[in-house]
């Protein structure tokens, strides 16, 4: 079967800033593929190259077997794209913008319009409003409909969840899962690991413009990552924290800091044995997780 | 076709407003003609009553009162103001039409669609051209009707059309100049100020150059490609300046096309 996305040593170099180097990806039809890396790692550059917004310096890429450079329009025919920030032409109503967007695709206009109204209903968006008057979250909804109304076989989502409230995020994820059930391939880029964990089958990790690892999400699942800050009632023995799941450990008097990566229950058991005056658990930045990840691997 | 239609619809308002501006300008300037013409009659009368020797003494013996004070002569004299307005319209159009996505940050929206950049460029160009053609037709109608209303009498149709066509020629040159400017300057905050600076700059350059007797300046300023007195005398353009205009036009179009289809679209910021 032709992969939905295939890149071969795809490289994009720009002047001074870092681009991407030798990106090799193969995403099969029907996969939800996570693309994860810290900000500036090259996720957007890869996506923008796939969409023909950037011309690759070397290497090649295909969408459903169609070359992104030589057959750009054909390659993009079956793609829906949702950027992290959505912008539209001034002074237009939502419905006019969506109709303009629909006019670029070969699919029957009627089918697209039916889907447009379905999606608008699901996302609770009034199509007759002016785009300029919409809140950020509602503009994002316009973006979602715009990317999905022509029922593309491939959805490319570049950090799509920013600006969506948790409830809407849930609706959006459900929508993506539903699309995926109908065979839609999804490339989902994010710098938030938990998002990718929730949704994706496989994930590629990108760092400094290179893919450092492609793995099934199962190996990441069952792993919870926390940045733990503890304040102890009394100094504790360091040996309590000698655990394979703990990294980046530091002590300042009564304060203890570490990154936990592993089963959350094991963490609660460990904490249960301590006399705490305060605790804070946060999802660490991706960089911190990676730091931990590479130390362990390496 | 969809991009063409979309752009044309977006341009309809400004096209209409520019036609109104031109209507105002032609009305004002052409309404002066009756006064001018009546003065001419007085002058002509005066000349005819002067003895030939007196005319020669005043250095007026070679003046042909019929052409020097004709409607077309008057038309040629006021024409630069129409050209200036037309050039501003065309330049604004050129600067704006390709950079529209940059200003509204919709580059991602448009270029991620299944459409070639070449098609986008041509559609937008065609829409701009259509807007100018409509303006041009309206302009011919306005000046022609204006001439009839103000009692211009009979005049050479060829000469009149040759002069009037300069309006569209200058617009075409400025449209392509505008396109190129929009592709050379990455972020255009205000298309209006750039357009005004370029058009007024070239207008003043041309006028000053001619006033200082520097003929080479005519290659530089599209406003001076055509000398109306020459057109009135010869019913033709001076080809060397026309070639300069066409070369500038083609160079700008080709360069802006190449820049547009090749440019990398980095992240919106």
């Amino acid at each position: 079967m032709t992969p939905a996305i295939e890149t071969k040593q795809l490289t994009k170099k720009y002047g001074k800033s870092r681009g991407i180097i030798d990106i090799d990806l193969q995403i099969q039809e029907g996969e939800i593929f996570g693309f994860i890396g810290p900000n500036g790692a090259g996720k957007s550059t890869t996506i923008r190259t796939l969409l023909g917004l950037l011309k690759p310096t070397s290497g090649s890429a295909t969408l459903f077997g169609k070359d992104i450079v030589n057959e750009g329009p054909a390659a993009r025919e079956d793609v829906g794209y949702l950027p992290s920030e959505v912008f539209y032409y001034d002074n237009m109503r939502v419905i006019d913008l969506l109709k303009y967007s629909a006019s670029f695709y070969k699919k029957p206009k009627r089918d697209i319009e039916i889907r447009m109204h379905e999606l608008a209903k699901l996302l609770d968006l009034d199509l007759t409003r002016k785009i300029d008057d919409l809140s950020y979250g509602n503009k994002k909804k316009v973006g979602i409909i715009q990317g999905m109304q022509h029922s593309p076989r491939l959805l490319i989502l570049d950090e799509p969840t920013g600006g969506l409230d948790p409830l809407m995020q849930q609706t959006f994820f459900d929508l993506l899962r539903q699309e995926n059930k109908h065979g839609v391939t999804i490339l989902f880029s994010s710098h938030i690991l938990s998002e990718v964990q929730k949704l994706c089958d496989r994930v590629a990790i990108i760092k400094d413009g290179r893919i450092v690892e492609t793995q099934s999400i199962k190996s990441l699942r069952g792993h919870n990552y926390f940045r733990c800050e503890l304040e102890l009632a009394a100094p504790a023995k360091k040996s309590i924290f000698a655990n394979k799941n703990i990294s980046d450990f530091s002590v300042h008097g009564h304060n203890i800091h570490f990154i936990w990566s592993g089963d959350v229950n094991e963490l609660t058991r460990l904490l249960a044995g301590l006399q705490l005056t305060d605790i804070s658990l946060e999802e660490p930045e991706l960089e911190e997780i990676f730091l931990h990840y590479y130390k362990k691997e390496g | 076709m969809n991009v063409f239609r979309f752009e044309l619809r977006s341009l309809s308002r400004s096209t209409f407003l520019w036609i109104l501006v031109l209507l105002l300008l032609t009305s004002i300037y052409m309404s002066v003609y009756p006064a001018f013409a009546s003065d001419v009659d007085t002058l002509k009368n005066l000349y005819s009553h002067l003895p030939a020797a007196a005319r020669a003494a005043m250095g007026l013996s070679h003046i042909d009162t019929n052409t020097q004070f004709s409607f077309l002569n008057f038309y040629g004299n006021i024409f630069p103001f129409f050209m200036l307005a037309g050039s501003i319209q065309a330049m604004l159009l050129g600067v704006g039409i390709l950079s529209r996505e940059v200003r509204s940050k919709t580059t991602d929206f448009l270029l991620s669609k299944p459409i070639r950049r070449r098609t986008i460029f041509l559609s937008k160009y065609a829409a701009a051209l259509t807007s100018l053609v409509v303006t041009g037709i309206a302009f011919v109608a306005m000046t022609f009707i204006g001439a009839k209303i103000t009692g211009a009498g009979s005049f050479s149709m060829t000469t009149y059309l040759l002069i009037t066509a300069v309006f569209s020629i200058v617009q075409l040159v400025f449209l392509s100049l505008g396109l190129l400017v929009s592709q050379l300057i990455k972020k255009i905050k205000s298309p209006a100020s750039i357009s005004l600076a370029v058009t007024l700059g070239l207008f003043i350059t041309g006028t000053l150059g001619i006033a200082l007797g520097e003929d080479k300046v005519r290659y530089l300023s599209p406003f001076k490609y055509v000398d109306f007195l020459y057109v009135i005398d010869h019913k033709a353009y001076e080809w060397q300046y026309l070639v300069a205009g066409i070369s500038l036009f083609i160079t700008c179009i080709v360069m802006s096309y190449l820049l547009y289809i090749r440019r990398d679209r980095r992240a919106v910021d």
Side-chain angles (χ1 to χ4, degrees), chain A residues 111-175:
Chain A
D111 296 358
I112 299 182
E113 267 187 47
I114 290 169
R115 186 72 181 133
M116 176 208 298
H117 288 290
E118 275 174 18
L119 289 166
K121 201 172 165 199
L122 186 76
L123 297 172
D124 189 24
L125 181 69
D126 180 359
L127 294 179
T128 59
R129 291 185 63 186
K130 284 235 170 176
I131 297 178
D132 300 344
D133 301 339
L134 296 180
S135 68
Y136 188 79
N138 277 332
K139 276 188 190 158
K140 198 95 194 187
K141 291 180 193 172
V142 179
I144 295 171
I145 301 177
Q146 190 262 131
M148 294 173 88
Q149 62 175 357
H150 56 288
S151 309
R153 285 154 71 203
L154 170 64
L155 280 172
I156 295 182
L157 314 169
D158 193 1
E159 311 240 1
T161 51
L164 288 180
D165 62 67
L167 215 62
M168 197 40 69
Q169 197 164 323
Q170 192 56 48
T171 314
F172 178 53
F173 276 23
D174 289 344
L175 185 61

Side-chain angles (χ1 to χ4, degrees), chain A residues 169-239:
Chain A
Q169 197 164 323
Q170 192 56 48
T171 314
F172 178 53
F173 276 23
D174 289 344
L175 185 61
L176 291 179
R177 284 196 195 94
Q178 202 186 345
E179 288 289 305
N180 179 245
K181 252 185 219 153
H182 295 117
V184 172
T185 313
I186 298 172
L187 174 61
F188 187 100
S189 113
S190 177
H191 66 278
I192 305 163
L193 186 63
S194 57
E195 259 183 19
V196 172
Q197 279 180 314
K198 256 185 238 170
L199 199 69
C200 300
D201 309 317
R202 269 198 318 149
V203 58
I205 298 163
I206 185 168
K207 192 168 183 275
D208 297 342
R210 290 176 190 272
I211 301 264
V212 286
E213 182 86 39
T214 307
Q215 54 179 247
S216 123
I217 204 76
K218 276 185 204 128
S219 57
L220 288 173
R221 230 168 237 154
H223 259 67
N224 296 98
Y225 294 91
F226 293 109
R227 189 199 298 124
C228 308
E229 312 266 358
L230 310 178
E231 201 180 307
L232 301 176
K237 272 186 221 156
K238 257 190 171 182
S239 61

Side-chain angles (χ1 to χ4, degrees), chain A residues 1 36 42 58 67 94 150 196 204 214 271:
Chain A
M1 203 165 73
I36 192 156
S58 62
D67 188 85
V94 176
H150 56 288
V196 172
T214 307
L271 295 176

